[in-house]
Amino acid sequence: MTERNIIELIDVKKVFDDETIAVDNFNLQVKKGEFVTFLGPSGCGKTTTLRMIAGFDLPTSGKILLNGEDISRLPPNKRPVNTVFQKYALFPHLNVYENIAFGLRLKRVRNTYKNEAGDTYVKKERLTKKEIDKKVKKALEMVDLEGFEKRGVHTLSGGQQQRVAIARAIVNEPEILLLDEPLGALDLKMRKEMQIELKNMHRRLGITFIYVTHDQEEALTMSDKIVVINDGDIQQIGTPTEIYNEPINTFVADFIGESNIFNGAVVDKFKVRFCGATFECVDDFETNQLVDVVVRPEDIIICKPGEGQLKGEVISTVFKGVHYEITVEVGRFEIVIQSTAYAEPGSTIGMRIEPDGIHLMKPVYTINRFEGVITKNNTVEFGDGEFDCDVTKLYPGSHLDEDGYLITASGEKLDLTGVVVNVEVDTHDITMSDDKDEGGAAGTIISMIYKGDHYRYIVRTEENEEDYVLSCPDMWNTDDYVSLVIPKDKIKMTLKAPAEND
Amino acid sequence: MKLRFNRKQLCIPYAAFLILFVIAPLFVILYYAFTNGEGQFTFDNLVSFFSSTNTIGTLIYSFALAITTTAVCIVIAYPTAYILARSNFKKKYVLLLLFIMPMWINFTLRITALKEILTAIEGNIAAYPFLNSVIGMTYDFLPFMILPLYTSLLKLDKNLMEAAQDLGASKIRVFLRVTLPLSVPGIISGITMVLLPSMTNYVVLDMLYNSTYIMGSLIGSYFNAYDWNNGSMISLILLVIIFFVTLITNRFSDKDDNGGREVIL
């Protein structure tokens, strides 16, 4: 493998219909021969990015470089990349052979000849029938479909169609092979087989693979490099081990593998406190820093009660084949353990976590910050909503007169309508309600992450896609439409700029 | 009380209809075609059709008119259907409606209106009988060409075009190698729906002062003269032609589907 970047995405951004941002600020370098996976939930922008590399969508801004050359405006037929489509997209009017030969028949290659005078000249020529035949046969061999040449594509099973789609792409010897969730339609066993075959094919061909999936296990199994994407943004780029062992934030930790996520605080150098106990850890954070703590279920070791840092009661034990999944209640926290040892439900066990089993992350959200405007009713508008607030807090010692004007401590009368303020709300001060009119704003739950004793939710409003982050012990569902209630005294406001008549 | 039918009982009305209005008339035609005025079995009607230059001429003229009409219809309908089905043009349903709406207006009324327009342009419209007949028939049958093409282009998987482009095909090649072959069923449906009616629809010719006979007018003239036998024979010959055209076209569009026929019928 050379160290050359075969493809490079620089500040790529894609906006649909002038408003929906599908991909934002996408920067990525892929080396020749790498197996790169775009991993993320559906609708995160991974397929859009792939389509921009293939040329089906043009980036709104930013550049895509192939071997250092800008290809972001080239049509798909001019790019040396081939795609394996999600639903195969085989040509129904052609048989297997013709499907695979499709690209070859269009190809022109440069052949060098010598004329009688001995000068060499280059002629662009189509491939001969023989050459095409040879290449198609080889591709069919590669995907184990010898003898299927004359078959119509509709007579093939899903797995066979998939193989034809792969053969049709690799037969053109592209510089990059793009695969858009190619195994999504196959059953589990078939999928596992194809994963291994694809990986082998990648090794044999030496072509760069860019693979899109929402299946974290698939990504971990196959990739050299994983790009975790959420909401149009790259969350983390790294090797499967890095992504699994050192997730950069709670999204990555939660999306990849099973995990216990807790709120914690660094109490001393290499010492972190969570779940009511203090643990030694290997991540270096400043003392008193609030952190998100990730502990993988397999990193919790069951021991005798009294030994280890934690003690709790086993709530349930489920046999999962290779291991037991044991849920333990420790005080008000719930911890999931994967262990080959059995633990009797109802019994009390001790738990030990080694320092390298604890991963600390800087919390992304601790407080909600908005810019708000005071209305003429002395409420405040922010984050696509309107909330009751106490405007007298803006000016110490002030009060409201009966007309709603603010009288400052020095007796000055102020009209606050239109004043811009900074608003801060703690995550645990927002509550959700089913009643659409109860809260000042409303939105859809786009993310929920369990943190041992509570859930962390992100609620996004419809109009301007403002995000509210909140903690709540009750379980709601993703995509629930909720209204957001914030008590008057929990909205902390400060003046943005000195008011004109101050 | 709840009425219950089994499957066999449910097909009784259909079978009765079929016997009464399809099979029985067919036998009546067969009977008349192979008998003479006295009711005796004969091949004379068949022989006289193929031995008369007059009737053969009518057959050729009908074919020429029908093929020209069909060709003109395809040339107009394909790009229209393509734009309707594949563009992101926002008002395309309005456009589609504009093509379909003439079908809601009585056809004699439309042809009469067309006659007035043609008279205004050409003066004496009897001077261009063939041209005017093609214009009239195209106007009449165009929706039957657009609709099957539209439906067959509409259900084309966009991924296939992208796949072709991805494999190195330019826009033109994508059209020639993927879009066109995959819309053949639609073309075939359109042809069957335009070619055959335009061989017989002599009302258009009559109204546009085209005095040349086509197959339809020939049958009409025999029947008007109470010559059931020759009229039936020509109907039968037409039926055989239709049968063979359908056989050939079905081979092209095979199994896959029947284009947009189901949409209209």
Side-chain angles (χ1 to χ4, degrees):
Chain A
M1 265 182 228
T2 57
E3 285 302 294
R4 197 158 59 94
N5 285 332
I6 187 158
I7 194 152
E8 205 170 335
L9 282 80
I10 304 167
D11 293 329
V12 170
K13 183 175 182 172
K14 179 71 189 177
V15 183
F16 284 115
D17 299 332
D18 296 331
E19 46 182 292
T20 325
I21 298 171
V23 175
D24 200 8
N25 199 18
F26 204 99
N27 283 290
L28 177 72
Q29 288 158 2
V30 178
K31 293 201 170 54
K32 194 171 165 56
E34 263 186 319
F35 195 124
V36 179
T37 301
F38 292 172
L39 177 66
S42 50
C44 73
K46 54 191 192 302
T47 297
T48 308
T49 312
L50 197 79
R51 289 175 58 83
M52 285 193 281
I53 298 173
F56 304 131
D57 285 330
L58 297 180
T60 312
S61 64
K63 270 187 198 162
I64 299 170
L65 305 184
L66 184 92
N67 292 326
E69 263 175 73
D70 189 358
I71 57 156
S72 34
R73 301 280 134 193
L74 278 184
N77 50 324
K78 298 267 162 68
R79 301 188 187 198
V81 296
N82 284 117
T83 311
V84 177
F85 290 83
Q86 197 168 4
K87 290 185 191 110
Y88 319 142
L90 298 176
F91 304 118
H93 58 300
L94 302 176
N95 63 20
V96 170
Y97 183 96
E98 285 303 321
N99 260 284
I100 298 174
F102 193 94
L104 297 173
R105 292 203 193 286
L106 294 163
K107 208 172 193 168
R108 282 162 190 273
V109 284
R110 288 169 181 280
N111 286 333
T112 316
Y113 292 100
K114 251 186 193 145
N115 62 12
E116 287 161 20
D119 301 324
T120 56
Y121 62 99
V122 177
K123 233 169 135 182
K124 267 189 155 182
E125 284 181 325
R126 295 197 182 281
L127 294 169
T128 62
K129 235 177 161 176
K130 241 186 188 164
E131 286 171 308
I132 291 176
D133 206 49
K134 210 174 126 194
K135 280 175 194 269
V136 172
K137 288 264 152 64
K138 210 178 131 200
L140 277 169
E141 221 170 274
M142 195 101 188
V143 295
D144 271 338
L145 283 179
E146 298 104 320
F148 279 73
E149 289 89 341
K150 293 274 178 293
R151 294 275 291 269
V153 290
H154 283 302
T155 64
L156 304 180
S157 72
Q160 289 166 337
Q161 289 191 26
Q162 181 59 78
R163 286 159 197 268
V164 176
I166 293 168
R168 186 179 68 174
I170 58 172
V171 78
N172 302 296
E173 294 154 22
E175 295 215 34
I176 303 172
L177 186 67
L178 306 174
L179 301 108
D180 185 7
E181 307 213 20
L183 309 182
L186 303 180
D187 61 53
L188 186 67
K189 197 156 177 265
M190 194 72 182
R191 202 154 66 215
K192 298 258 179 208
E193 276 174 34
M194 283 302 287
Q195 283 175 12
I196 296 164
E197 274 187 49
L198 273 175
K199 188 72 196 157
N200 287 338
M201 220 177 274
H202 171 247
R203 213 168 287 139
R204 267 187 289 167
L205 292 169
I207 298 176
T208 312
F209 277 40
I210 298 180
Y211 192 96
V212 162
T213 184
H214 62 266
D215 183 337
Q216 43 104 2
E217 204 193 320
E218 200 165 282
L220 292 173
T221 315
M222 302 171 78
S223 329
D224 296 323
K225 190 195 257 182
I226 297 177
V227 182
V228 186
I229 305 171
N230 186 34
D231 220 6
D233 291 318
I234 294 181
Q235 303 288 318
Q236 189 172 3
I237 302 176
T239 63
T241 349
E242 278 166 6
I243 299 272
Y244 188 82
N245 289 339
E246 286 153 45
I248 206 158
N249 57 35
T250 46
F251 172 80
V252 178
D254 188 56
F255 194 73
I256 310 227
E258 301 269 319
S259 49
N260 295 290
I261 304 173
F262 307 103
N263 286 344
V266 177
V267 287
D268 207 344
K269 202 139 184 73
F270 298 117
K271 279 207 164 49
V272 61
R273 194 170 170 79
F274 61 90
C275 279
T278 307
F279 299 82
E280 282 190 26
C281 62
V282 287
D283 294 316
D284 191 6
F285 275 83
E286 262 175 60
T287 311
N288 292 329
Q289 162 91 51
L290 291 175
V291 287
D292 281 329
V293 181
V294 174
V295 183
R296 297 292 182 187
E298 67 271 19
D299 288 337
I300 303 174
I301 302 147
I302 298 178
C303 51
K304 284 192 190 119
E307 291 174 19
Q309 300 101 326
L310 294 168
K311 197 172 84 175
E313 191 190 331
V314 178
I315 303 171
S316 75
T317 303
V318 180
F319 181 58
K320 291 270 183 177
V322 184
H323 58 259
Y324 292 97
E325 190 169 286
I326 303 159
T327 313
V328 186
E329 203 171 57
V330 180
R332 59 193 168 89
F333 295 98
E334 208 171 84
I335 298 173
V336 177
I337 305 171
Q338 286 173 1
S339 165
T340 47
Y342 178 75
E344 184 69 31
S347 64
T348 305
I349 55 166
M351 284 155 279
R352 196 175 70 236
I353 310 170
E354 297 293 333
D356 61 2
I358 296 169
H359 177 63
L360 305 187
M361 303 174 301
K362 225 181 189 147
V364 189
Y365 314 99
T366 46
I367 201 159
N368 293 284
R369 285 199 176 81
F370 297 98
E371 190 171 279
V373 179
I374 307 284
T375 68
K376 64 176 190 290
N377 303 322
N378 283 332
T379 58
V380 58
E381 273 180 1
F382 63 85
D384 276 352
E386 184 179 344
F387 296 87
D388 282 333
C389 66
D390 189 0
V391 287
T392 58
K393 287 247 182 84
L394 286 168
Y395 293 90
S398 64
H399 64 276
L400 289 172
D401 70 4
E402 57 268 33
D403 297 328
Y405 288 104
L406 186 98
I407 314 293
T408 62
S410 52
E412 226 181 320
K413 191 172 170 180
L414 293 179
D415 181 5
L416 291 174
T417 311
V419 169
V420 180
V421 290
N422 288 321
V423 181
E424 284 184 7
V425 187
D426 271 341
T427 56
H428 51 262
D429 287 334
I430 307 177
T431 48
M432 292 184 284
S433 162
D434 274 330
D435 179 3
K436 281 194 186 67
D437 301 320
E438 194 183 339
T444 319
I445 298 176
I446 59 159
S447 139
M448 60 182 284
I449 284 174
Y450 189 51
K451 287 201 164 182
D453 66 334
H454 68 272
Y455 291 90
R456 196 212 63 203
Y457 295 96
I458 301 177
V459 176
R460 177 169 292 178
T461 63
E462 219 161 281
E463 197 184 339
N464 292 318
E465 302 206 338
E466 300 271 7
D467 288 347
Y468 289 83
V469 181
L470 54 117
S471 309
C472 167
D474 304 322
M475 191 168 116
W476 295 70
N477 289 317
T478 328
D479 292 334
D480 277 356
Y481 189 77
V482 293
S483 92
L484 299 158
V485 185
I486 310 173
K488 199 172 172 176
D489 55 320
K490 300 293 188 202
I491 298 176
K492 292 176 213 100
M493 297 189 297
T494 48
L495 286 172
K496 174 123 183 131
E500 295 147 278
N501 44 3
D502 189 29
Chain B
M1 197 185 89
K2 212 171 175 185
L3 283 173
R4 287 194 153 272
F5 299 103
N6 63 30
R7 279 197 204 188
K8 275 183 191 155
Q9 287 167 329
L10 278 174
C11 82
I12 290 173
Y14 179 71
F17 183 89
L18 201 69
I19 291 164
L20 207 61
F21 293 103
V22 181
I23 301 190
L26 213 62
F27 277 103
V28 174
I29 289 177
L30 263 175
Y31 169 76
Y32 276 114
F34 289 104
T35 50
N36 59 20
E38 281 84 48
Q40 284 160 328
F41 179 80
T42 172
F43 281 113
D44 285 355
N45 305 328
L46 185 68
V47 175
S48 73
F49 179 85
F50 285 105
S51 56
S52 153
T53 48
N54 216 347
T55 47
I56 293 294
T58 303
L59 186 66
I60 292 168
Y61 187 80
S62 303
F63 262 119
L65 190 62
I67 288 170
T68 317
T69 304
T70 312
V72 173
C73 277
I74 291 179
V75 168
I76 299 173
Y78 203 99
T80 314
Y82 190 86
I83 293 167
L84 288 174
R86 304 227 62 93
S87 73
N88 297 321
F89 181 45
K90 285 206 176 84
K91 299 275 188 323
K92 64 182 183 184
Y93 293 105
V94 179
L95 198 62
L96 184 65
L97 204 65
L98 280 178
F99 279 101
I100 304 304
M101 224 148 57
M103 291 189 356
W104 303 350
I105 299 165
N106 181 276
F107 132 85
T108 19
L109 191 72
R110 271 185 288 143
I111 297 296
T112 313
L114 182 71
K115 184 171 82 182
E116 296 307 319
I117 294 169
L118 289 176
T119 313
I121 298 167
E122 298 171 358
N124 176 17
I125 61 167
Y128 311 95
F130 190 81
L131 174 72
N132 289 344
S133 301
V134 170
I135 293 174
M137 296 240 197
T138 305
Y139 179 43
D140 200 23
F141 295 129
L142 192 60
F144 296 99
M145 186 62 91
I146 291 179
L147 274 181
L149 278 173
Y150 171 73
T151 41
S152 78
L153 286 169
L154 194 67
K155 62 182 177 186
L156 268 192
D157 188 358
K158 205 176 141 221
N159 276 331
L160 294 177
M161 277 82 153
E162 286 187 346
Q165 228 189 336
D166 186 70
L167 292 166
S170 60
K171 290 245 156 90
I172 297 164
R173 289 203 178 278
V174 171
F175 177 77
L176 291 177
R177 291 192 172 219
V178 179
T179 315
L180 192 61
L182 286 176
S183 58
V184 164
I187 299 175
I188 298 295
S189 296
I191 289 174
T192 31
M193 269 188 287
V194 173
L195 187 74
L196 301 169
S198 50
M199 279 180 74
T200 50
N201 195 338
Y202 64 96
V203 183
V204 176
L205 273 71
D206 277 358
M207 294 183 71
L208 294 173
Y209 303 145
N210 182 348
S211 54
T212 322
Y213 267 23
I214 56 171
M215 295 299 275
S217 16
L218 202 60
I219 298 168
S221 72
Y222 277 121
F223 280 175
N224 282 337
Y226 300 101
D227 185 350
W228 306 110
N229 309 92
N230 274 307
S232 295
M233 178 46 81
I234 296 167
S235 302
L236 199 64
I237 290 167
L238 210 55
L239 202 72
V240 171
I241 294 172
I242 291 171
F243 177 75
F244 278 111
V245 171
T246 319
L247 207 67
I248 295 164
T249 51
N250 274 357
R251 175 152 303 182
F252 275 107
S253 66
D254 57 20
K255 68 235 169 197
D256 194 29
D257 59 6
N258 40 2
R261 260 178 278 190
E262 69 265 38
V263 173
I264 297 165
L265 303 178

